[in-house]
Every structure is written in structure tokens, then in C-alpha cells.
Amino acid sequence: MKLIQLEMKKIALTPYLLASVLIPLVTLAMINLLAYAPQIDPSILVTDPEMGTYKFLYILSFIINVAGFSCLGTAMLGKVVMESYNDNYLYLTLSYPVARKKILRAKIIFCELFCGIGVFIGILLTNSLFFVSESVFSVVNDSLSFATIMGQLPLMIVAVILVTSISLISLAIGWWRNSLALAIVSAVVFCSIPSNLVTVGGVQVVLAITVILLVASMLVVLLITKKVSRLEA
């Protein structure tokens, strides 16, 4: 815990906090825009009737928040982990009188807790504000209830696992080529997989993809730990 607190003091959190607030707000703006689109052009519902349902809009909230926080988590891991082990900071990092694995673990846990909690709160904030706006002025021709929001709780937990898994896998790819840009691009690509499948195969397919990515992220942590162990040799 002390190492995690130390990491919190070492990094400027303001940009990440700002981004974690902007992501759900941008998501809210987008789902409100899509919710109002059928009012402008009713023919949209003829070609794609799902756009006029709360289920579609809440899944969209899930997709955008996951993509946003995955990219944020990857950027944060790149700053906290990759930068600490580059040529400029490697000697300083390895000179700490603490086990190297514990330092790496603290960095990863700190970043993943930040983004995992962030995406959970982000989806909850987006959906709650949309629920309030629809309660006051409804633009969607669908039945809305508090149970509709509570039904999104499993997806919110899945979102936490997806964000942490995708950001770790993307970190490994970016670190392999020593490129933060490649890591973020990888995060976008990985986010597109569950995003496309959730609209085609439903939540069950997303759950399967989530399990695969979770296992892959665990293997990534082992590989990164071995990489750091070799650096101090």
C-alpha cells in the first residue's frame, strides 16, 4: 500500500482526473444525440429499430466508456511503467531499496485501480444522468425504469475487467516496440472487438471475449515481470 501511495505522489493526476470526467460526459452527449436522432428523422427506426431502445443506448454507453478508459489506462501505464524503465530513468528505478517485482506491481495496481474504478463510475454516471434526463423530458419511445439501469450492473463489472485487461495487453505491445503511440492504437483495436461483437452476438459473446482477454492480461503481467527481472540482471 505504501508503494501505491508513493506512485500517487510521483505522477501528476490532474490530466487523468480531467479525462476521467470528460469521458462519461462525452458519452452522455453522444447517447443523447443518438436518442434524439429519430425525432429528426423517423425513418432511422425503420432501418434500425434498435436505435429507439434504451438497451441499445446503454450498450453504447458501455462501449464508449470502455474505449475511453482503455486508452486512458494504456496512456497512464505507458507514463508510469514504460517511462520508469527507459534508459533515462532505469538506473533510478532499479536503485530503490525495494524488491523490483513489488515496485512494478505497485505501478500496475495503481493504474488499473484508477481506470477500473473510473470506468465503473463513468458508466454509472452516464446512465444515471441519462435516466434523469429521460425522466424529465423523454425522447425515446421505450419504457424506462430503475430496473433498466440496475440491469446494466453486470456490464459495468465486465467493463472494469475489459479496461484493465486491454490496457495491460496494449502496454505489453507498446513496450515491445518502445512506442506509447502503438500501445494506444492497440487499445483502440482491442476495444473494437467487443464493441462489434456486442451488437452482433450479444452480451454472452462479450463475456467470452472478456475471459480470453483477462487470461491474456495475466500472462502479460508474468512476461512484463520477467522483463523487469532481466533488466536488473
Side-chain angles (χ1 to χ4, degrees):
M1 182 60 76
K2 290 183 178 179
L3 288 175
I4 295 175
Q5 291 175 346
L6 179 62
E7 291 300 327
M8 291 177 64
K9 294 178 181 179
K10 287 170 58 179
I11 186 172
L13 285 176
T14 303
Y16 301 103
L17 288 171
L18 180 61
S20 64
V21 172
L22 287 176
I23 291 169
L25 292 180
V26 170
T27 305
L28 178 63
M30 292 187 68
I31 63 174
N32 271 300
L33 180 63
L34 283 176
Y36 192 72
Q39 303 292 329
I40 301 173
D41 185 5
S43 64
I44 293 176
L45 296 180
V46 177
T47 56
D48 194 358
E50 283 194 357
M51 283 191 63
T53 65
Y54 289 114
K55 179 182 177 181
F56 171 83
L57 295 170
Y58 282 138
I59 287 178
L60 185 65
S61 169
F62 165 81
I63 292 171
I64 300 174
N65 273 292
V66 166
F69 279 98
S70 293
C71 293
L72 178 63
T74 302
M76 198 172 191
L77 282 168
K79 174 69 176 179
V80 175
V81 178
M82 283 177 59
E83 187 176 283
S84 298
Y85 294 97
N86 65 20
D87 294 336
N88 295 327
Y89 296 94
L90 180 60
Y91 179 78
L92 177 62
T93 301
L94 297 182
S95 65
Y96 290 162
V98 182
R100 313 300 183 240
K101 293 180 180 179
K102 289 185 179 180
I103 296 175
L104 176 64
R105 193 180 302 124
K107 293 177 182 294
I108 291 176
I109 291 174
F110 165 65
C111 296
E112 298 296 42
L113 276 177
F114 183 92
C115 292
I117 294 172
V119 72
F120 188 92
I121 296 175
I123 295 176
L124 180 63
L125 179 65
T126 302
N127 293 356
S128 298
L129 290 176
F130 184 66
F131 174 82
V132 171
S133 66
E134 283 294 297
S135 299
V136 176
F137 181 71
S138 180
V139 295
V140 180
N141 295 322
D142 193 10
S143 58
L144 177 63
S145 65
F146 185 71
T148 306
I149 289 183
M150 294 307 297
Q152 300 303 306
L153 183 59
L155 271 181
M156 292 163 65
I157 297 173
V158 169
V160 174
I161 299 173
L162 275 175
V163 167
T164 54
S165 301
I166 289 173
S167 57
L168 278 171
I169 297 170
S170 302
L171 168 69
I173 295 173
W175 202 354
W176 171 56
R177 301 297 297 178
N178 196 26
S179 171
L180 180 58
L182 177 60
I184 294 175
V185 170
S186 299
V188 174
V189 172
F190 280 116
C191 286
S192 67
I193 298 174
S195 299
N196 290 326
L197 291 178
V198 72
T199 56
V200 177
V203 178
Q204 291 78 9
V205 177
V206 174
L207 288 175
I209 295 296
T210 301
V211 172
I212 294 172
L213 291 176
L214 177 60
V215 173
S217 67
M218 291 177 180
L219 294 175
V220 160
V221 172
L222 293 176
L223 292 174
I224 292 176
T225 303
K226 289 183 179 179
K227 179 181 177 70
V228 170
S229 298
R230 287 196 299 269
L231 288 174
E232 64 175 314

